[in-house]
Amino acid sequence: MSPSGGHSWRYWPRFWGRFLRRRLPSSLWGRSLLIIILPVFLMQVAVTWAFFDAHWQTVTARLSEGLAGEIAWAVESYRDDPSASNLAAIADRAERSMQLSIALQEGRTLPRERDSSVFGVVDRTLNDALDSRLDDPFWFSTTSYPAYVDIQVQQPQGVLRIIAPRERAVATQGHIFVLWLTLATVLLMSVAILFIRNQVRAIERLSEAAEDFGRGIDAPRFRPSGAREVRSAARAFMDMRERIQRHIEQRTVLLASVSHDLRTPLTRLRLELALADQTRRTRAMLGDLDEMEHMIDEYLAFARGEAGEAPQSIDLKTLLEAVGAQVRKRGAGVEIAAPEDPVQAMVRPLAFRRALTNLAGNAADHGGRVRLSLRRAGGELEIAVEDDGPGIPEAQREDAFRPFSRLDDARNQNTKGVGLGLAIARDVARSHGGDITLDASDLGGLKAVIRLPG
């Protein structure tokens, strides 16, 4: 309902809540600074306001009233006897007792304009004090001289000018209090910011180590630091990382043994068939052996995930051209769209090449035209593999990433393979901190997009 409706009291809290969420910083560092700076700033404003309201203005008003009374005495004394001798006596007494310099400027009139002080309250306070004590027109300036106040009173003979020390009209030590308060606040806030930065930096290092591990990059220099809770979380992460690495190593060794055990009898069978008479039946059996070896290779690659390979910085444009050359050998037309300059990315070369080869091979198997493109999108790198084949219905695109999934209705069944190509490609992309999505291509078929952190 609109704010003008009967339920506006329910709308405004939600409106201000959304407004603050959009404006407030989202990072822990920014929010920590806000938690420290905002209360200190509000406290300083409140203390300064209370000081000026309760102390500085009161003292300034009392000083201005006292000065106005002395000026009124001088004016009245001169009005009673406007002789030069009386003016000299008044000026001498004012100089010795009140630190006031009094002089008559004969034939002069009051200035018409006056510069206002930076602190308007000074001018208002002095103006009120003089107005309450003097009956004659007057003019004053608190800015003409840094250390003095210039006050002029109109008399029949001319202008009676009084120069008074500034501290007689204004509490001049107020800015010292504000300065010390500001310096102390800045010093304490700087110390607090340094401590908060150290704590936030420890959390950032933990986040970077976790992100690097998720992308397959080891962080050997990472050490727990920061507060006790942060160090506890860092140690828990390191224990988890070690358990995962041990599991991967054990699985890799086990799969290597399984690969050896499976390949030995297959090699024996292939040798026996090669020595046997070549008939239609033996040729069919050799085809079955080829398919079995391909299935074993595909399964082992999916289970192993190339986990033991070290990341390296490679040129994705060069990799794209190499994969395109392989696809051309399969009889498909290949189009490559990439920036002119090299595009570097930190990846595991063999694993990433296998993922890209799987996607491009599937595109070549199901279409006669393949497009490979590379571009930067914001802070990410995007590699798109498109074909002009039958595509995959939108409702089945996520199912295509399932291991051993065969979408016979959408794509022609691949005679070689067990439905692990997309699963392997997504596993590789996610191990690099990215992902793969499927969409419709403007070529008429399927579009597979690999997104990697830039």
Side-chain angles (χ1 to χ4, degrees):
M1 193 172 182
S2 65
S4 60
H7 297 286
S8 60
W9 60 274
R10 296 180 180 177
Y11 169 81
W12 286 112
R14 294 195 298 269
F15 169 78
W16 284 112
R18 291 193 297 268
F19 177 81
L20 290 176
R21 282 194 297 271
R22 289 194 297 266
R23 296 299 186 274
L24 292 178
S26 59
S27 65
L28 178 61
W29 169 240
R31 292 185 178 184
S32 299
L33 285 182
L34 189 63
I35 292 172
I36 293 296
I37 292 177
L38 185 59
V40 173
F41 174 76
L42 294 178
M43 181 192 69
Q44 183 173 357
V45 170
V47 170
T48 305
W49 179 270
F51 168 77
F52 276 99
D53 186 60
H55 176 73
W56 188 79
Q57 290 189 34
T58 302
V59 174
T60 299
R62 298 288 173 81
L63 292 173
S64 297
E65 290 173 1
L67 179 62
E70 295 171 356
I71 293 174
W73 166 83
V75 171
E76 291 174 1
S77 297
Y78 175 73
R79 188 187 301 121
D80 293 340
D81 183 8
S83 63
S85 58
N86 185 42
L87 177 62
I90 294 173
D92 180 66
R93 183 178 178 183
E95 178 71 26
R96 287 185 292 103
S97 303
M98 308 171 193
Q99 298 179 333
L100 301 180
S101 176
I102 301 177
L104 177 65
Q105 297 177 338
E106 297 182 359
R108 297 280 298 272
T109 58
L110 297 177
R112 295 184 178 182
E113 297 181 355
R114 184 183 70 196
D115 294 333
S116 299
S117 172
V118 175
F119 297 98
V121 65
V122 174
D123 288 354
R124 289 195 304 268
T125 302
L126 185 57
N127 184 78
D128 293 342
L130 293 174
D131 187 61
S132 64
R133 293 299 184 95
L134 297 176
D135 296 329
D136 300 320
F138 63 89
W139 175 94
F140 68 91
S141 173
T142 58
T143 59
S144 298
Y145 308 102
Y148 298 94
V149 177
D150 185 4
I151 303 171
Q152 302 180 24
V153 183
Q154 186 69 55
Q155 295 295 303
Q157 297 80 7
V159 171
L160 194 63
R161 187 179 187 185
I162 300 99
I163 303 296
R166 188 176 181 85
E167 60 265 17
R168 294 291 311 278
V170 182
T172 57
Q173 300 300 317
H175 66 283
I176 301 297
F177 169 79
V178 176
L179 177 62
W180 278 107
L181 179 63
T182 303
L183 290 177
T185 302
V186 170
L187 177 62
L188 294 176
M189 286 176 55
S190 300
V191 174
I193 288 173
L194 288 177
F195 276 100
I196 291 177
R197 182 58 188 166
N198 288 335
Q199 300 305 314
V200 173
R201 183 55 187 158
I203 298 176
E204 290 176 348
R205 283 195 293 264
L206 175 59
S207 174
E208 292 170 359
E211 183 177 358
D212 289 343
F213 179 66
R215 297 172 60 182
I217 303 175
D218 193 15
R221 296 184 179 180
F222 173 72
R223 295 292 183 272
S225 60
R228 180 179 58 186
E229 292 80 1
V230 179
R231 292 197 303 269
S232 177
R235 284 191 291 268
F237 162 73
M238 295 175 67
D239 293 340
M240 179 192 68
R241 182 180 63 180
E242 291 177 0
R243 288 194 296 269
I244 294 176
Q245 288 175 341
R246 284 197 303 268
H247 172 72
I248 293 175
E249 291 173 359
Q250 292 173 357
R251 190 183 67 172
T252 303
V253 172
L254 176 62
L255 292 175
S257 301
V258 171
S259 173
H260 179 270
D261 293 342
L262 289 177
R263 291 182 185 279
T264 299
L266 288 178
T267 304
R268 249 191 336 260
L269 286 174
R270 181 180 296 277
L271 180 59
E272 292 177 359
L273 289 175
L275 295 176
D277 296 335
Q278 297 299 311
T279 63
R280 187 175 63 180
R281 188 172 181 180
T282 57
R283 286 194 294 270
M285 293 175 67
L286 285 173
D288 292 339
L289 285 177
D290 291 339
E291 184 175 352
M292 290 176 63
E293 287 183 347
H294 181 79
M295 292 168 60
I296 292 173
D297 291 339
E298 198 171 20
Y299 170 72
L300 293 178
F302 170 75
R304 184 171 61 251
E306 306 292 347
E309 188 181 3
Q312 298 178 18
S313 179
I314 66 170
D315 181 15
L316 294 181
K317 180 180 178 182
T318 303
L319 177 60
L320 216 63
E321 293 173 350
V323 172
Q326 290 183 354
V327 174
R328 289 191 184 95
K329 294 178 181 179
R330 305 174 71 161
V334 179
E335 174 187 350
I336 298 178
E340 295 183 0
D341 299 330
V343 180
Q344 299 291 325
M346 184 67 68
V347 298
R348 296 193 297 275
L350 295 180
F352 194 77
R353 184 187 183 102
R354 181 181 182 85
L356 198 57
T357 301
N358 285 352
L359 294 177
N362 287 341
D365 290 340
H366 303 300
R369 182 182 174 193
V370 178
R371 178 193 295 163
L372 305 176
S373 58
L374 170 64
R375 72 184 185 98
R376 289 188 179 273
E380 294 182 329
L381 293 172
E382 286 189 0
I383 302 176
V385 181
E386 304 175 68
D387 63 59
D388 58 352
I392 298 178
E394 184 177 357
Q396 295 182 345
R397 286 171 187 166
E398 192 62 28
D399 294 336
F401 289 106
R402 286 181 170 181
F404 312 108
S405 175
R406 305 292 295 272
L407 304 177
D408 299 338
D409 295 337
R411 313 268 280 189
N412 295 327
Q413 197 175 55
N414 186 4
T415 57
K416 294 181 66 176
V418 292
L420 289 174
L422 288 177
I424 293 174
R426 170 170 274 189
D427 183 65
V428 171
R430 288 181 172 177
S431 69
H432 286 82
D435 202 355
I436 295 180
T437 57
L438 300 180
D439 203 350
S441 170
D442 55 8
L443 297 180
L446 186 68
K447 178 181 180 180
V449 180
I450 304 177
R451 291 182 174 86
L452 296 176

